[in-house]
mmCIF file of all heavy atoms in Angstrom:
data_model
loop_
_atom_site.group_PDB
_atom_site.id
_atom_site.type_symbol
_atom_site.label_atom_id
_atom_site.label_comp_id
_atom_site.label_asym_id
_atom_site.label_seq_id
_atom_site.Cartn_x
_atom_site.Cartn_y
_atom_site.Cartn_z
ATOM 1 N N MET A 10 -81.192 26.646 272.586
ATOM 2 C CA MET A 10 -80.242 27.772 272.538
ATOM 3 C C MET A 10 -78.806 27.262 272.419
ATOM 4 O O MET A 10 -77.996 27.817 271.675
ATOM 5 C CB MET A 10 -80.395 28.660 273.783
ATOM 6 C CG MET A 10 -81.676 29.440 273.805
ATOM 7 S SD MET A 10 -81.860 30.524 272.362
ATOM 8 C CE MET A 10 -83.533 30.134 271.875
ATOM 9 N N TYR A 14 -76.268 28.219 269.397
ATOM 10 C CA TYR A 14 -75.074 29.034 269.663
ATOM 11 C C TYR A 14 -73.778 28.232 269.798
ATOM 12 O O TYR A 14 -72.718 28.837 269.949
ATOM 13 C CB TYR A 14 -75.308 29.891 270.913
ATOM 14 C CG TYR A 14 -76.298 31.001 270.653
ATOM 15 C CD1 TYR A 14 -77.517 31.071 271.329
ATOM 16 C CD2 TYR A 14 -76.018 31.976 269.698
ATOM 17 C CE1 TYR A 14 -78.428 32.088 271.063
ATOM 18 C CE2 TYR A 14 -76.928 32.991 269.431
ATOM 19 C CZ TYR A 14 -78.120 33.035 270.115
ATOM 20 O OH TYR A 14 -79.008 34.043 269.836
ATOM 21 N N TYR A 21 -70.132 35.375 267.139
ATOM 22 C CA TYR A 21 -71.347 36.126 267.477
ATOM 23 C C TYR A 21 -71.128 37.644 267.489
ATOM 24 O O TYR A 21 -71.829 38.397 266.813
ATOM 25 C CB TYR A 21 -71.868 35.652 268.841
ATOM 26 C CG TYR A 21 -73.147 36.333 269.240
ATOM 27 C CD1 TYR A 21 -74.379 35.804 268.894
ATOM 28 C CD2 TYR A 21 -73.128 37.528 269.951
ATOM 29 C CE1 TYR A 21 -75.554 36.436 269.242
ATOM 30 C CE2 TYR A 21 -74.294 38.171 270.300
ATOM 31 C CZ TYR A 21 -75.493 37.620 269.943
ATOM 32 O OH TYR A 21 -76.647 38.270 270.278
ATOM 33 N N LEU A 29 -77.633 44.232 265.451
ATOM 34 C CA LEU A 29 -78.328 44.378 266.740
ATOM 35 C C LEU A 29 -78.193 45.848 267.141
ATOM 36 O O LEU A 29 -77.381 46.223 267.984
ATOM 37 C CB LEU A 29 -77.739 43.429 267.785
ATOM 38 C CG LEU A 29 -77.875 41.931 267.475
ATOM 39 C CD1 LEU A 29 -77.445 41.079 268.665
ATOM 40 C CD2 LEU A 29 -79.298 41.551 267.067
ATOM 41 N N ARG A 32 -77.906 48.890 270.876
ATOM 42 C CA ARG A 32 -77.435 48.347 272.164
ATOM 43 C C ARG A 32 -76.584 49.366 272.919
ATOM 44 O O ARG A 32 -76.700 49.508 274.133
ATOM 45 C CB ARG A 32 -76.645 47.051 271.935
ATOM 46 C CG ARG A 32 -77.524 45.920 271.407
ATOM 47 C CD ARG A 32 -76.761 44.620 271.263
ATOM 48 N NE ARG A 32 -75.713 44.700 270.267
ATOM 49 C CZ ARG A 32 -74.823 43.737 270.050
ATOM 50 N NH1 ARG A 32 -74.848 42.644 270.780
ATOM 51 N NH2 ARG A 32 -73.915 43.861 269.111
ATOM 52 N N GLU A 49 -78.285 41.962 283.366
ATOM 53 C CA GLU A 49 -78.758 41.712 282.001
ATOM 54 C C GLU A 49 -79.350 40.303 281.943
ATOM 55 O O GLU A 49 -78.689 39.319 282.281
ATOM 56 C CB GLU A 49 -77.653 41.836 280.939
ATOM 57 C CG GLU A 49 -78.259 41.539 279.549
ATOM 58 C CD GLU A 49 -77.331 41.728 278.363
ATOM 59 O OE1 GLU A 49 -76.123 41.926 278.548
ATOM 60 O OE2 GLU A 49 -77.854 41.676 277.225
ATOM 61 N N GLY A 51 -80.493 37.337 279.631
ATOM 62 C CA GLY A 51 -80.184 36.892 278.260
ATOM 63 C C GLY A 51 -78.926 37.593 277.789
ATOM 64 O O GLY A 51 -78.878 38.208 276.738
ATOM 65 N N CYS A 52 -77.854 37.442 278.598
ATOM 66 C CA CYS A 52 -76.650 38.268 278.390
ATOM 67 C C CYS A 52 -75.746 37.755 277.268
ATOM 68 O O CYS A 52 -74.814 38.452 276.862
ATOM 69 C CB CYS A 52 -75.851 38.364 279.681
ATOM 70 S SG CYS A 52 -75.236 36.760 280.245
ATOM 71 N N GLY A 53 -75.999 36.542 276.759
ATOM 72 C CA GLY A 53 -75.198 36.031 275.645
ATOM 73 C C GLY A 53 -73.716 36.012 275.965
ATOM 74 O O GLY A 53 -73.282 35.518 277.010
ATOM 75 N N ASN A 57 -72.505 43.230 276.085
ATOM 76 C CA ASN A 57 -73.118 44.429 276.677
ATOM 77 C C ASN A 57 -72.628 44.661 278.105
ATOM 78 O O ASN A 57 -72.402 45.806 278.514
ATOM 79 C CB ASN A 57 -74.642 44.285 276.706
ATOM 80 C CG ASN A 57 -75.232 44.160 275.325
ATOM 81 O OD1 ASN A 57 -74.718 44.738 274.367
ATOM 82 N ND2 ASN A 57 -76.312 43.398 275.200
ATOM 83 N N LEU A 73 -77.474 36.756 283.344
ATOM 84 C CA LEU A 73 -77.948 35.377 283.300
ATOM 85 C C LEU A 73 -78.324 35.011 281.880
ATOM 86 O O LEU A 73 -78.704 35.863 281.069
ATOM 87 C CB LEU A 73 -79.103 35.133 284.287
ATOM 88 C CG LEU A 73 -80.457 35.795 284.036
ATOM 89 C CD1 LEU A 73 -81.322 34.994 283.076
ATOM 90 C CD2 LEU A 73 -81.183 35.944 285.375
ATOM 91 N N ASP A 74 -78.197 33.721 281.588
ATOM 92 C CA ASP A 74 -78.541 33.219 280.261
ATOM 93 C C ASP A 74 -78.895 31.747 280.405
ATOM 94 O O ASP A 74 -78.371 31.060 281.286
ATOM 95 C CB ASP A 74 -77.359 33.382 279.304
ATOM 96 C CG ASP A 74 -77.797 33.398 277.844
ATOM 97 O OD1 ASP A 74 -78.155 32.319 277.323
ATOM 98 O OD2 ASP A 74 -77.797 34.483 277.230
ATOM 99 N N ILE A 75 -79.782 31.293 279.511
ATOM 100 C CA ILE A 75 -80.180 29.878 279.584
ATOM 101 C C ILE A 75 -79.155 28.977 278.896
ATOM 102 O O ILE A 75 -79.144 27.775 279.118
ATOM 103 C CB ILE A 75 -81.588 29.706 278.968
ATOM 104 C CG1 ILE A 75 -82.246 28.432 279.489
ATOM 105 C CG2 ILE A 75 -81.536 29.724 277.436
ATOM 106 C CD1 ILE A 75 -83.731 28.338 279.192
ATOM 107 N N SER A 76 -78.286 29.556 278.072
ATOM 108 C CA SER A 76 -77.351 28.754 277.277
ATOM 109 C C SER A 76 -75.979 28.648 277.947
ATOM 110 O O SER A 76 -75.265 29.647 278.086
ATOM 111 C CB SER A 76 -77.196 29.373 275.878
ATOM 112 O OG SER A 76 -76.061 28.832 275.243
ATOM 113 N N MET A 79 -73.259 29.916 275.499
ATOM 114 C CA MET A 79 -73.045 31.377 275.502
ATOM 115 C C MET A 79 -72.302 31.808 276.765
ATOM 116 O O MET A 79 -71.397 32.659 276.713
ATOM 117 C CB MET A 79 -74.377 32.120 275.406
ATOM 118 C CG MET A 79 -74.978 32.149 274.017
ATOM 119 S SD MET A 79 -73.872 32.962 272.825
ATOM 120 C CE MET A 79 -74.952 34.194 272.118
ATOM 121 N N ALA A 101 -79.691 30.473 283.971
ATOM 122 C CA ALA A 101 -81.068 30.434 284.462
ATOM 123 C C ALA A 101 -82.019 30.750 283.323
ATOM 124 O O ALA A 101 -81.633 31.336 282.307
ATOM 125 C CB ALA A 101 -81.265 31.449 285.595
ATOM 126 N N ASP A 102 -83.274 30.350 283.527
ATOM 127 C CA ASP A 102 -84.342 30.685 282.589
ATOM 128 C C ASP A 102 -84.920 32.034 283.002
ATOM 129 O O ASP A 102 -85.273 32.231 284.170
ATOM 130 C CB ASP A 102 -85.422 29.589 282.653
ATOM 131 C CG ASP A 102 -86.534 29.803 281.639
ATOM 132 O OD1 ASP A 102 -86.726 30.945 281.157
ATOM 133 O OD2 ASP A 102 -87.229 28.830 281.335
ATOM 134 N N ALA A 103 -85.042 32.930 282.031
ATOM 135 C CA ALA A 103 -85.527 34.283 282.308
ATOM 136 C C ALA A 103 -86.911 34.302 282.948
ATOM 137 O O ALA A 103 -87.244 35.241 283.673
ATOM 138 C CB ALA A 103 -85.569 35.074 280.997
ATOM 139 N N SER A 123 -81.624 42.838 276.007
ATOM 140 C CA SER A 123 -81.167 43.311 274.708
ATOM 141 C C SER A 123 -81.284 42.187 273.680
ATOM 142 O O SER A 123 -80.572 41.186 273.785
ATOM 143 C CB SER A 123 -79.710 43.777 274.850
ATOM 144 O OG SER A 123 -79.090 43.865 273.597
ATOM 145 N N TYR A 124 -82.206 42.332 272.771
ATOM 146 C CA TYR A 124 -82.423 41.349 271.700
ATOM 147 C C TYR A 124 -82.570 39.935 272.264
ATOM 148 O O TYR A 124 -82.102 38.976 271.655
ATOM 149 C CB TYR A 124 -81.305 41.432 270.652
ATOM 150 C CG TYR A 124 -81.431 42.700 269.832
ATOM 151 C CD1 TYR A 124 -80.734 43.854 270.180
ATOM 152 C CD2 TYR A 124 -82.284 42.755 268.740
ATOM 153 C CE1 TYR A 124 -80.882 45.031 269.457
ATOM 154 C CE2 TYR A 124 -82.440 43.919 268.002
ATOM 155 C CZ TYR A 124 -81.732 45.046 268.372
ATOM 156 O OH TYR A 124 -81.885 46.206 267.654
ATOM 157 N N SER A 125 -83.198 39.827 273.416
ATOM 158 C CA SER A 125 -83.425 38.491 273.975
ATOM 159 C C SER A 125 -84.906 38.169 274.132
ATOM 160 O O SER A 125 -85.294 37.002 273.993
ATOM 161 C CB SER A 125 -82.666 38.322 275.302
ATOM 162 O OG SER A 125 -82.946 39.370 276.175
ATOM 163 N N MET A 128 -86.349 36.029 271.564
ATOM 164 C CA MET A 128 -85.976 34.610 271.497
ATOM 165 C C MET A 128 -86.602 33.818 272.634
ATOM 166 O O MET A 128 -86.353 32.612 272.750
ATOM 167 C CB MET A 128 -84.459 34.451 271.545
ATOM 168 C CG MET A 128 -83.781 34.945 270.300
ATOM 169 S SD MET A 128 -82.064 34.426 270.212
ATOM 170 C CE MET A 128 -82.207 32.841 269.379
ATOM 171 N N MET A 129 -87.376 34.487 273.489
ATOM 172 C CA MET A 129 -87.925 33.802 274.658
ATOM 173 C C MET A 129 -89.391 33.474 274.411
ATOM 174 O O MET A 129 -90.210 34.385 274.277
ATOM 175 C CB MET A 129 -87.810 34.708 275.898
ATOM 176 C CG MET A 129 -86.383 34.964 276.299
ATOM 177 S SD MET A 129 -86.272 36.221 277.579
ATOM 178 C CE MET A 129 -84.499 36.246 277.837
HETATM 179 C C1 LIG B 1 -79.737 37.287 270.384
HETATM 180 S S1 LIG B 1 -78.929 36.827 271.865
HETATM 181 C C2 LIG B 1 -78.662 38.431 272.628
HETATM 182 C C3 LIG B 1 -77.448 38.413 273.512
HETATM 183 C C4 LIG B 1 -77.121 39.773 274.132
HETATM 184 N N1 LIG B 1 -78.188 40.226 274.966
HETATM 185 C C5 LIG B 1 -76.781 40.801 273.089
HETATM 186 O O1 LIG B 1 -77.442 41.860 273.008
HETATM 187 O O2 LIG B 1 -75.794 40.577 272.365
HETATM 188 C C6 LIG B 1 -80.279 36.185 272.857
HETATM 189 C C7 LIG B 1 -79.798 35.510 274.135
HETATM 190 O O3 LIG B 1 -80.953 35.192 274.931
HETATM 191 C C8 LIG B 1 -80.721 33.919 275.540
HETATM 192 N N2 LIG B 1 -81.997 33.312 275.911
HETATM 193 C C9 LIG B 1 -82.958 32.844 275.081
HETATM 194 N N3 LIG B 1 -83.996 32.345 275.782
HETATM 195 C C10 LIG B 1 -83.681 32.523 277.101
HETATM 196 C C11 LIG B 1 -84.352 32.240 278.324
HETATM 197 N N4 LIG B 1 -85.563 31.644 278.353
HETATM 198 N N5 LIG B 1 -83.752 32.577 279.478
HETATM 199 C C12 LIG B 1 -82.526 33.169 279.491
HETATM 200 N N6 LIG B 1 -81.836 33.455 278.359
HETATM 201 C C13 LIG B 1 -82.400 33.146 277.183
HETATM 202 C C14 LIG B 1 -79.956 33.137 274.461
HETATM 203 O O4 LIG B 1 -79.277 32.007 274.998
HETATM 204 C C15 LIG B 1 -79.031 34.204 273.904
HETATM 205 O O5 LIG B 1 -77.810 34.242 274.586
#
Side-chain angles (χ1 to χ4, degrees):
M10 290 302 132
Y14 289 117
Y21 182 90
L29 297 188
R32 293 184 295 173
E49 179 175 10
C52 63
N57 298 327
L73 68 84
D74 202 286
I75 202 167
S76 165
M79 283 300 233
D102 184 339
S123 162
Y124 289 94
S125 52
M128 290 193 89
M129 294 171 179

